[in-house]
Amino acid sequence: MSGLLLREALGERRFATENFPIAVGGEGSTVVLAGRPPGPEAYLGLHEGQLFVQPAEGAQVLHNGEPVPRSTWLRVGDVVNLGAARLRVAQNDDVHVVEVEDGASGNITAPPVVIPGQRLRGETEGEAQRIDVARFRPTEARRQRRTIALSPLRVAAGVGAAIIAVVLWFIFTATSISVRTSPEDADLQISPAVALRIGGRVLLKPGQYRFRAQRPGYAPAELTAHVTSASDQQFMLRLAKLPGKLRVETPAPASVTVDGKAVGAAPGVFELSAGRRKISIAAERYQPFSAHVQIDGGGKLQRFAPKLIPNWADVTVASEPPGAQVLVNGESRGTTPLTTQVLAGNHPLELRLEGFKSWSTDVQVKANQPTRVGPVKLGLPDARLLVRSEPAGAAVSVAGVYRGQTPVTLELRPEIAHNLALSRPGYEPATRTVTLAAGEERSLSVPLSGVFGEVAVRAQPADAQVLVDGQPYGPANQILRLVATTHEIVIRKAGYVDYKANVTPRPGVAQVVQTQLLTPEQARLAATPASISTKSGVQLKLMPIGRFVMGSPRREPGRRANEAQREVEFKRAFYMGVTEVTNGQFRKFKPEHRSGIVGNHTLDLDNQPVVGVTWQDAASYCNWLSEQEGLTPAYEKKGDALVAKNPLTSGYRLATDAEWEWAARRERNGALRRYPWGDALPVAPRSGNYADLTARLIVQDVVPDYEDGYAASAPAAKFPPNALGLYDMGGNVAEWIHDYYTVSIDSSSIAVDPTGPTEGKQHVVRGSTWKNASVTDLRLSARDFGDAARNDMGFRVARYAE
């Protein structure tokens, strides 16, 4: 339901949703209750179609006889009491209904409304009788009384009696109310004007009235109110004092601000509200002015003529000889002798006179304090000397004072000998002495003798070109004779990155610039950090890139059918985790993870590799690492599972099948090893954590005569690293691989940065574990697969360098 129907003794009122809240109480409320003190005692509100009542601060309101401490919902049949007055909530289909019962109007019964042609209730057609019009005939006695003459005294007495009767009837039937005004001496008018004033109260019949109060200097106040028969009704009319007018008079155009707000320009008249006002005046060439002015208001016109203090002073300038042009801030003010007005502050002042040297200074002017400059004795004009050198760029000093680099124009005092010195790195110093006349202009060119040294340039490829200071000098692998100053040497060849070096030749000292130019890819690798570390402490090393034959030959002992050979080339540099991810590192991502135990041997130490994780767990961990460093994750959600993005991002991920085998098998010389320890059996001592004699109680087969000291998984990095600095690439735990598993066939085509099939159900698993003892499993080319977690399988992270 929306809206409210208010039923009062004298009628009904409707309130729309936007009219809420509705104040209820004494004078000044929307719903006025008789006998209540001025101001609201409660508020009717509407929230989502539900009616509620909220007491005003300090008011005593009862809801069904109980005090209301806060907002309370209202339902049909509820009663709200404010003193003797009551609000009753009634039922209606489309709006809320509240009945007001305050006893102010007594039991008033309105006459029924009968539509012409209708009958009163209870009449039947037979009962409704016609009343005929009868002619009136006065009796004889009445005719006699009508003939009696009325005297004036009798008429006056009758009229007076009638007036008294009417007045008495009005007094006894009217309601006494209190109507006050502020100020109290305002003139009060009541419309309709049927009122009787007795002392400070007014007698009025119940009904609707309009009260109007007015007083000179104030805006009229009006109030429309409904007067009831209740006693102690009070009404208040407050008159607002009219603003005053302030005439602001200034000696120059100015802007006026009142209480921090711009109001216009002066001279002018401003309308301001009564009270103490801060007047601020800003005029050009005058100091800012502020003062407080008491505005009387009431339409009164006041005059305000502040004395503004000039923000300038007279500056008198004299020169010898006179007639020099005076410029202040670059603006001509006249010729000397001159007195001119200058604003307060620091100003550049210049004197110019034909045939004499210009003179300039800064003048500090204080407001209203005259200043005198001069007389200034003007000197003869300087001579001008243009100095050049071969080559250019030589430093020029006059009497030991640096004056610039050639070519440079010098202003020199006339009729005086000046000693000039020129110097440039790699050249012999040169000196000259010149004397110039007043105003003379002359040029001077000075050749410089070079000092040379030799620089040998050696580079590969041999046909690379050499540039010195941007100028071509021919092919590399030559000796350059250069001036003994710093030069930029660039060695350049198409398809390679430029090599740059700065060299300073020295006479008699042999110097060599030597380099091997790099391709962009080689340069990028050279600039790539050799190792990085994640925020959670996982370390990764940059792997070399190149080509190798992945898989194993058909005749290799222990070979499986899923080890097909194919040539792989790596063009995109990548990092590989130095160790398998440990329990401690993984628990930073998933604190509740536990790797479990095997027999009496724990797998759950912080420094042991994490196991018991699915491929999805490993991919989620990689995405978490990427998000920590603001990298784009390598895996995205597809349905309920994570899948690799295509193409792969530079975020953290699992190593690809090809990357893992390359990083596990590559020797420093580029050869590929077969086992983690080398190319032949038996297993080398302390080469890794395999199924050894220590594990014979928990595994079926063990490596004969081999003991590594760990029955189950060992702490990470307990055994020597491989040739690329990676730990446990064979032994300890197997590792989840990025690729989906598939059985491939031998191929002669070259696979560039392969990432495996785009779809699949199982993933590749690489590396032997603490459970493995067979030749097949210990080989680095061995491949396994799976889709479930194991207690001897974890993972290590990888990522592209860019």
Side-chain angles (χ1 to χ4, degrees):
M1 290 187 288
S2 62
L4 173 68
L5 176 64
L6 191 72
R7 292 176 178 168
E8 300 172 279
L10 296 179
E12 295 181 348
R13 285 192 282 172
R14 284 184 178 270
F15 295 88
T17 303
E18 59 268 16
N19 298 134
F20 285 86
I22 300 172
V24 181
E27 177 188 348
S29 303
T30 306
V31 180
V32 180
L33 303 176
R36 304 310 303 160
E41 294 185 87
Y43 298 90
L44 295 179
L46 196 64
H47 179 70
E48 297 183 352
Q50 178 63 46
L51 192 66
F52 68 92
V53 63
Q54 176 177 316
E57 185 176 355
Q60 297 295 321
V61 180
L62 300 180
H63 173 246
N64 295 333
E66 296 292 331
V68 181
R70 63 184 66 86
S71 299
T72 302
W73 296 112
L74 296 178
R75 294 172 176 81
V76 176
D78 285 359
V79 176
V80 178
N81 288 82
L82 291 84
R86 291 184 297 178
L87 304 179
R88 187 185 302 276
V89 183
Q91 178 66 47
N92 192 283
D93 292 335
D94 58 345
V95 297
H96 297 282
V97 178
V98 174
E99 298 174 349
V100 180
E101 300 175 10
D102 63 352
S105 299
N107 296 322
I108 298 175
T109 302
V113 178
V114 180
I115 301 173
Q118 292 185 345
R119 300 176 178 85
L120 296 176
R121 182 179 301 177
E123 289 183 335
T124 64
E125 187 173 354
E127 292 174 334
Q129 298 180 359
R130 177 183 177 87
I131 302 176
D132 295 328
V133 178
R135 187 179 299 276
F136 177 75
R137 293 188 178 91
T139 62
E140 185 63 28
R142 288 184 178 177
R143 284 197 295 268
Q144 290 178 359
R145 282 197 296 270
R146 291 172 63 184
T147 61
I148 298 174
L150 297 178
S151 66
L153 181 59
R154 184 171 297 189
V155 172
V159 171
I163 293 174
I164 292 174
V166 171
V167 170
L168 292 176
W169 170 83
F170 182 82
I171 291 175
F172 287 109
T173 60
T175 299
S176 174
I177 66 171
S178 172
V179 182
R180 294 185 294 130
T181 64
S182 176
E184 295 180 354
D185 58 348
D187 178 37
L188 177 65
Q189 299 175 0
I190 303 175
S191 178
V194 183
L196 181 61
R197 303 188 188 188
I198 303 176
R201 301 186 69 80
V202 180
L203 294 180
L204 292 173
K205 294 291 288 180
Q208 196 83 4
Y209 292 89
R210 184 167 64 90
F211 302 97
R212 178 182 174 84
Q214 57 187 19
R215 185 183 187 278
Y218 290 80
E222 291 190 0
L223 172 66
T224 300
H226 185 78
V227 177
T228 68
S229 58
S231 60
D232 198 25
Q233 297 180 71
Q234 299 181 6
F235 302 95
M236 169 63 77
L237 284 85
R238 300 185 183 276
L239 287 74
K241 195 170 185 178
L242 292 174
K245 296 181 179 180
L246 182 67
R247 182 193 302 278
V248 179
E249 300 175 356
T250 56
S255 59
V256 179
T257 301
V258 178
D259 295 335
K261 182 178 180 181
V263 296
V269 178
F270 305 94
E271 188 174 84
L272 305 175
S273 57
R276 183 179 171 86
R277 299 285 174 260
K278 183 179 180 181
I279 311 297
S280 300
I281 299 175
E284 189 177 0
R285 295 174 55 80
Y286 289 87
Q287 294 185 13
F289 174 87
S290 291
H292 286 89
V293 177
Q294 183 67 36
I295 305 300
D296 296 335
K300 181 180 177 181
L301 177 64
Q302 297 173 248
R303 177 178 175 271
F304 182 57
K307 185 177 181 181
L308 302 183
I309 299 175
N311 197 34
W312 46 267
D314 287 336
V315 176
T316 301
V317 184
S319 68
E320 294 180 1
Q325 184 183 22
V326 179
L327 293 93
V328 179
N329 296 322
E331 175 191 356
S332 178
R333 295 292 187 92
T335 58
T336 58
L338 173 70
T339 298
T340 183
Q341 294 179 350
V342 181
L343 290 175
N346 192 63
H347 302 274
L349 183 145
E350 184 179 2
L351 301 181
R352 296 178 184 173
L353 183 61
E354 186 71 25
F356 291 86
K357 185 178 179 180
S358 297
W359 181 89
S360 62
T361 188
D362 284 346
V363 178
Q364 185 67 39
V365 179
K366 295 183 179 180
N368 224 18
Q369 295 184 16
T371 301
R372 186 174 183 84
V373 177
V376 176
K377 188 172 183 180
L378 301 177
L380 294 175
D382 288 338
R384 294 169 62 88
L385 178 65
L386 173 60
V387 182
R388 296 188 179 93
S389 67
E390 181 58 41
V396 179
S397 299
V398 179
V401 178
Y402 174 75
R403 300 289 294 272
Q405 287 187 337
T406 57
V408 62
T409 299
L410 307 176
E411 292 188 353
L412 304 175
R413 292 183 62 186
E415 311 301 340
I416 297 176
H418 298 278
N419 295 320
L420 279 68
L422 287 79
S423 61
R424 191 180 191 278
Y427 294 84
E428 296 287 350
T431 59
R432 298 289 189 274
T433 300
V434 295
T435 302
L436 303 176
E440 181 183 358
E441 294 188 1
R442 188 190 304 178
S443 63
L444 176 65
S445 182
V446 181
L448 300 178
S449 299
V451 177
F452 295 91
E454 292 185 347
V455 177
V457 178
R458 299 169 186 167
Q460 290 294 330
D463 58 348
Q465 299 296 305
V466 178
L467 292 87
V468 178
D469 298 329
Q471 300 299 317
Y473 266 63
N477 301 301
Q478 64 167 305
I479 296 177
L480 304 177
R481 185 171 181 270
L482 302 175
V483 174
T485 185
T486 301
H487 301 276
E488 182 188 62
I489 295 180
V490 177
I491 302 175
R492 177 175 297 167
K493 178 177 171 56
Y496 293 84
V497 178
D498 287 354
Y499 172 82
K500 296 181 181 180
N502 290 325
V503 62
T504 303
R506 295 285 184 266
V509 178
Q511 299 189 60
V512 178
V513 174
Q514 186 170 356
T515 186
Q516 169 74 49
L517 295 184
L518 302 175
T519 65
E521 184 63 30
Q522 291 170 331
R524 193 159 45 248
L525 279 176
T528 303
S531 62
I532 59 174
S533 180
T534 70
K535 289 186 176 181
S536 60
V538 178
Q539 292 186 337
L540 298 92
K541 293 192 69 173
L542 183 67
M543 297 291 100
I545 61 175
R547 287 188 183 186
F548 84 114
V549 177
M550 181 179 176
S552 60
R554 294 179 181 271
R555 295 175 180 255
E556 182 173 292
R559 181 185 189 272
R560 291 192 180 104
N562 64 358
E563 300 172 19
Q565 286 190 306
R566 60 172 174 169
E567 191 170 4
V568 173
E569 181 179 4
F570 296 105
K571 290 187 176 181
R572 195 172 178 185
F574 66 94
Y575 288 97
M576 182 79 81
V578 174
T579 67
E580 294 155 334
V581 175
T582 66
N583 287 311
Q585 292 167 342
F586 190 77
R587 279 196 277 261
K588 292 179 181 179
F589 162 66
K590 187 178 287 188
E592 69 276 9
H593 177 77
R594 294 294 178 267
S595 289
I597 60 175
V598 177
N600 294 327
H601 305 284
T602 183
L603 305 173
D604 203 41
L605 297 177
D606 279 351
N607 61 356
Q608 287 179 287
V610 65
V611 294
V613 292
T614 65
W615 188 93
Q616 293 289 326
D617 292 332
S620 297
Y621 177 80
C622 291
N623 277 1
W624 175 72
L625 291 178
S626 299
E627 290 164 0
Q628 281 189 316
E629 299 182 20
L631 300 173
T632 302
Y635 301 103
E636 61 184 352
K637 201 78 171 178
K638 187 174 182 180
D640 296 330
L642 289 173
V643 298
K645 289 186 177 180
N646 189 17
L648 274 176
T649 70
S650 60
Y652 290 98
R653 55 177 173 80
L654 302 175
T656 68
D657 197 11
E659 287 172 346
W660 193 95
E661 186 170 332
W662 167 259
R665 299 183 61 188
R666 189 178 187 277
E667 299 278 14
R668 296 184 186 277
N669 60 4
L672 301 177
R673 64 171 59 179
R674 179 179 298 178
Y675 300 105
W677 58 87
D679 291 327
L681 293 171
V683 178
R686 298 294 298 169
S687 61
N689 179 22
Y690 316 112
D692 68 334
L693 297 175
T694 310
R696 62 182 177 274
L697 296 179
I698 58 175
V699 299
Q700 183 174 356
D701 298 317
V702 298
V703 177
D705 301 323
Y706 181 78
E707 187 170 354
D708 56 45
Y710 297 95
S713 66
K718 272 295 181 180
F719 298 92
N722 70 0
L724 299 183
L726 306 181
Y727 293 90
D728 298 321
M729 292 298 286
N732 216 4
V733 298
E735 299 174 16
W736 282 116
I737 296 300
H738 171 86
D739 303 26
Y740 283 116
Y741 176 78
T742 185
V743 177
S744 59
I745 61 176
D746 291 349
S747 174
S748 60
S749 62
I750 299 176
V752 178
D753 297 323
T755 58
T758 57
E759 293 181 349
K761 294 183 178 179
Q762 298 175 314
H763 286 86
V764 176
V765 176
R766 281 285 197 160
S768 55
T769 81
W770 55 269
K771 289 183 176 182
N772 299 137
S774 69
V775 172
T776 296
D777 293 329
L778 293 179
R779 293 175 309 111
L780 293 175
S781 58
R783 298 173 74 234
D784 198 358
F785 59 91
D787 59 2
R790 294 176 6 198
N791 66 357
D792 67 336
M793 183 167 64
F795 66 96
R796 76 176 67 221
V797 297
R799 60 164 288 198
Y800 284 123
E802 57 182 17

